[in-house]
Each structure stands twice: as structure tokens, then as C-alpha cells.
Amino acid sequence: MFVVNLTLENKMIELKKYYQSLNFVGSCCMAVTLPWIVFKVFRAIYLQRSHNSLIGKIVVITGASSGLGEALAHAFYKRGCQVVLCARRRQELDRVRTELLQTHCTVQTFPPIIIPLDLSEYNNLSQHVTKILSITGHIDILINNGGVSHRGHAVSTNVDVDMKIMLVNYFGSIALTKAVLPSMIKKNQGHVVFVSSIQGLVALPERSAYSASKHALQAFGDSLRAEVASKNISVTVASPGYIKTRLSLNALTGSGAAHGQMDKSTESGYSPEFVSERIFTAVARKEKELVISTMLPKVAIFLRKYLPALYFFAMEKRANKADFIEEATTK
Ligand SMILES: NC(=O)c1ccc[n+]([C@@H]2O[C@H](COP(=O)([O-])OP(=O)(O)OC[C@H]3O[C@@H](n4cnc5c(N)ncnc54)[C@H](OP(=O)(O)O)[C@@H]3O)[C@@H](O)[C@H]2O)c1
Ligand SMILES: *[C@@H]1O[C@H](CO)[C@@H](O)[C@H](O)[C@H]1NC(C)=O
Ligand SMILES: *[C@@H]1O[C@H](CO)[C@@H](O)[C@H](O)[C@H]1NC(C)=O
């Protein structure tokens, strides 16, 4: 009897201890999860608010006839922005506009405006901006997205091709920005976005012209950001990894011809919608820069900065491998 009682008592004490420890673990969990839940709720409210803060904004998007620019047009249009679609091909811009008008939206929408323009005609861009301003009155957000890529060795790339890529990706974008800025400064508000690339942070072989143009864009963006901060103008530089668009098909080879091939890396890249959503959020939250990529490119950016020898070595290997493939396919 006595033994039984003792074990029962022991059991009770054990149970009590167990219960207390559970209680302790429970309160620890609560101490962690409660703030986490509160954080999540506030974040959701904050995000919703910042998304709504873009309702009615006038957003000029270059390269809106295809790929990421087209997806950006959808992202901003469906949140109630008035989008101004710019690119060379009027027909494609018309197609995008028609598709936008057909989408079902939960907020009030504004009819998209089409402005055909060529970024390489940088002297004409201020006329296009004057035209946009005469229609809309002002510009809230400028997204410099239009661009062209490069495929080929530096030594066999015509300097005209280097210039063409620099003209579209860099000079065209900065000329448009310079044409838009005075109206933003006058209004004491605005936001300029530059769509750079991972290759604006780390250069790859066989992409010298493209990488150089995107590096230039990064530097321009950083410099401008500091200058216009006091004018209540934000600058966002977005650096995405591969996106499944027509970029590699439209890339220029050393002779200036279109590459005409869908590269494997581009084919297996992010969807344009995924990247455009990330950029939309970054604009809504006024993020200064964002890198949209998997782990490997982030490691490459880190290595380039802190362990450059390793990055140089990896790029050399990559270049040799590409040469081997090129030789094999031209034989
Ligand atoms: N795809 C990727 O893997 C990737 C990765 C990182 C960054 N990006 C960047 O994302 C941006 C959009 O490219 P995408 O991937 O969407 O390629 P895309 O499908 O080839 O689209 C390029 C856009 O730029 C426009 N464009 C090209 N040359 C132009 C010019 N001279 N004047 C005006 N517009 C011009 C094109 O329109 P028109 O032909 O009608 O003029 C088209 O709308 C580029 O800046 C690119 O560098 C792409
Ligand atoms: C654009 O500039 C080119 C020269 O760079 C000129 O020939 C053309 O007429 C201009 N277009 C417009 C619409 O002003
Ligand atoms: C700064 O710009 C934001 C919009 O981006 C605007 O809501 C705010 O009123 C502006 N602030 C001032 C002081 O003009």
C-alpha cells in the first residue's frame, strides 16, 4: 500500500514537473510567436496601405511592349495607376493596352496612354516627355526598363554595337530621367526606377557591353539618389536575375545582328510577373535597391566584393567553357 502510494505521489510530482516545464516551454513559445504574429499583422496592414498609396499615380514605363515592362504595366494598372506605355513598336503597345483594358480589376482603373519612342534617339526624349505632361499634367513614377542585351566576345564586338547598347540601356534611360526630373522637382515629389540586372553588379564573360551599361546605370542611380533626396524624390535600382522574356532573342551579337536564340538560363528564369510584383512592392515601400535572385548570384556579388580572386577564377572557367561550346557549335 505504502509503495503504491509513494509511486503515485512520485508520479504526481513528475506530472507536475512535466506540466510546469510544458508551461515554461509554452510561455517561451508565446513570447516568440506573439510578437511574430503582431509583426505579421502590422506588416500586412502596412503593405496594404503602401499598395493603396499608389492609387491614381501616373507611371511611365519604358520597354512596356514586352517581357518585364509588360508585366510591370499589369502590376501598376491593376492597382489603380495610370500607366504610360513606351517602346518602339506601336502595335505591341496597342496589344498590351487592349489586354490591360480587358483585365478585371477590383479598384478603379485609368485608360493606359501609349507613347511610341526610341530610347536611342536620346535627343527626342524631352519632346515625348512634354507630350506626356500635356496629357497627364505630371509624372509620379518613371520606370526605366527598356533595354537590350549582348552576346559575344569583346574583341569581336563592333564598337558600334557597344555604343548602341550603351545608347539604349544607359544614355536613353538617363536622358529620359533628366527630361522628367524638372517636373518632379517642381512638384516636390517623384520616384525614378532603374531596371538594372545582376549583371549590373557582377559582370559575365560574353556580355561586356550589357554588363558595362548596367554597371553605369547602377552608378548613375546611386549618385542621383543622393542628389534628389532633399527634393522628396526616391530612386530605386532593381537588379533581377534571369527572367523568362525575349531578352536573349533580342540580344545583339558582335556584328549587331539579333542573337535570335532563347538561352537556357533565360528560359528557366523567373516569370516576369514574379519580378514585376517584387518591383511594385519595392516602389510602394520606397526601397532604395533590391536584388531579385537565387542564392548563387548573391554569392557571386559577395565574392566579387570580398574575395575577388575567387570570382575572377570562376569567371575564367565560365569563359573557357563558353569558348568550348562556341567552337563545338561552329564546327
Ligand atoms: N530577361 C532577363 O533575364 C533580364 C534580367 C535582368 C534584367 N533584365 C532587364 O529587364 C529589362 C526588360 O527586358 P526584358 O527581359 O523584358 O526583355 P524584352 O522582352 O526583350 O523587352 C525589352 C523591351 O525594351 C524595349 N526596347 C528595346 N530597345 C528599345 C529602344 N531602342 N527604344 C525603346 N524601347 C526599346 C522593347 O520594346 P521595342 O522592341 O518595342 O522597342 C521591349 O519592350 C531590360 O532592361 C533588361 O536588361 C532582364
Ligand atoms: C528624332 O531625332 C532624329 C535625329 O536624331 C530626327 O531625325 C527625328 O526627326 C526626330 N524625331 C522627332 C519625332 O522629333
Ligand atoms: C513627398 O512625396 C510623397 C509621395 O511620394 C507625398 O505623399 C508627400 O506629401 C511628399 N512630401 C512633401 C513634403 O511634399
Side-chain angles (χ1 to χ4, degrees):
M1 194 66 202
F2 176 75
V3 176
V4 171
N5 253 348
L6 189 72
T7 51
L8 202 80
E9 204 165 301
N10 275 348
K11 272 261 162 15
M12 286 297 277
I13 290 166
E14 237 172 72
L15 249 170
K16 205 171 175 186
K17 266 191 193 154
Y18 177 67
Y19 180 74
Q20 272 171 347
S21 69
L22 250 191
N23 224 355
F24 176 72
V25 171
S27 21
C28 275
C29 281
M30 279 302 261
V32 175
T33 50
L34 208 64
W36 186 76
I37 291 168
V38 171
F39 168 74
K40 280 282 174 189
V41 168
F42 272 95
R43 209 175 102 99
I45 293 169
Y46 170 71
L47 276 183
Q48 192 58 43
R49 277 230 180 129
S50 51
H51 278 194
N52 289 343
S53 71
L54 297 187
I55 288 177
K57 296 282 182 198
I58 304 199
V59 186
V60 175
I61 304 167
T62 67
S65 63
S66 162
L68 179 59
E70 183 177 345
L72 284 165
H74 279 270
F76 283 85
Y77 175 82
K78 73 180 182 201
R79 264 63 166 257
C81 296
Q82 178 155 41
V83 291
V84 182
L85 312 174
C86 308
R88 287 168 303 177
R89 292 168 299 161
R90 200 199 165 104
Q91 243 184 341
E92 287 304 303
L93 293 174
D94 280 333
R95 174 187 61 77
V96 174
R97 174 166 62 180
T98 308
E99 285 173 17
L100 286 175
L101 290 171
Q102 283 167 353
T103 54
H104 177 75
C105 299
T106 49
V107 295
Q108 189 202 345
T109 55
F110 297 90
I113 296 162
I114 285 180
I115 302 285
L117 59 78
D118 188 335
L119 285 168
S120 62
E121 291 182 351
Y122 59 91
N123 272 321
N124 297 12
L125 295 174
S126 63
Q127 290 169 36
H128 294 298
V129 171
T130 306
K131 191 171 170 204
I132 297 169
L133 290 173
S134 75
I135 302 168
T136 64
H138 71 281
I139 294 166
D140 292 299
I141 302 164
L142 166 65
I143 305 183
N144 292 295
N145 163 78
V148 60
S149 191
H150 173 220
R151 290 291 182 284
H153 292 117
V155 66
S156 53
T157 296
N158 213 315
V159 178
D160 287 340
V161 173
D162 289 280
M163 289 215 189
K164 176 76 203 265
I165 291 169
M166 207 67 180
L167 213 48
V168 176
N169 295 2
Y170 179 68
F171 288 110
S173 297
I174 69 155
L176 190 64
T177 303
K178 284 165 191 258
V180 169
L181 275 175
S183 65
M184 287 183 170
I185 291 171
K186 216 160 119 192
K187 209 168 175 260
N188 197 42
Q189 73 174 65
H191 198 136
V192 181
V193 180
F194 295 99
V195 176
S196 175
S197 164
I198 291 291
Q199 293 177 52
L201 295 163
V202 282
L204 295 180
E206 284 90 43
R207 308 277 193 284
S208 52
Y210 182 71
S211 284
S213 72
K214 294 295 187 183
H215 271 72
L217 216 48
Q218 295 263 351
F220 185 89
D222 283 356
S223 187
L224 181 71
R225 186 186 297 111
E227 288 180 23
V228 296
S230 62
K231 311 275 189 264
N232 196 28
I233 297 169
S234 310
V235 174
T236 299
V237 179
S239 302
Y242 293 113
I243 316 165
K244 198 177 168 188
T245 67
R246 298 184 56 83
L247 191 74
S248 73
L249 286 156
N250 296 333
L252 302 182
T253 63
S255 66
H259 178 55
Q261 284 175 37
M262 179 57 112
D263 287 357
K264 259 204 200 111
S265 47
T266 312
E267 173 86 55
S268 59
Y270 287 123
S271 76
E273 291 71 31
F274 173 79
V275 178
S276 66
E277 284 302 311
R278 289 288 303 272
I279 293 177
F280 178 89
T281 307
V283 172
R285 290 151 91 176
K286 296 192 168 154
E287 285 171 30
K288 292 180 172 64
E289 70 172 341
L290 77 158
V291 173
I292 308 161
S293 83
T294 49
M295 204 56 203
L296 195 63
K298 283 181 182 156
V299 171
I301 294 166
F302 179 87
L303 291 182
R304 176 65 188 89
K305 200 162 192 170
Y306 299 107
L307 273 171
L310 215 59
Y311 159 81
F312 297 144
F313 176 76
M315 286 304 118
E316 215 174 285
K317 284 273 168 267
R318 186 188 159 115
N320 290 338
K321 205 169 128 200
D323 284 346
F324 177 72
I325 293 166
E326 201 165 289
E327 267 169 37
T329 49
T330 48
K331 259 175 201 157

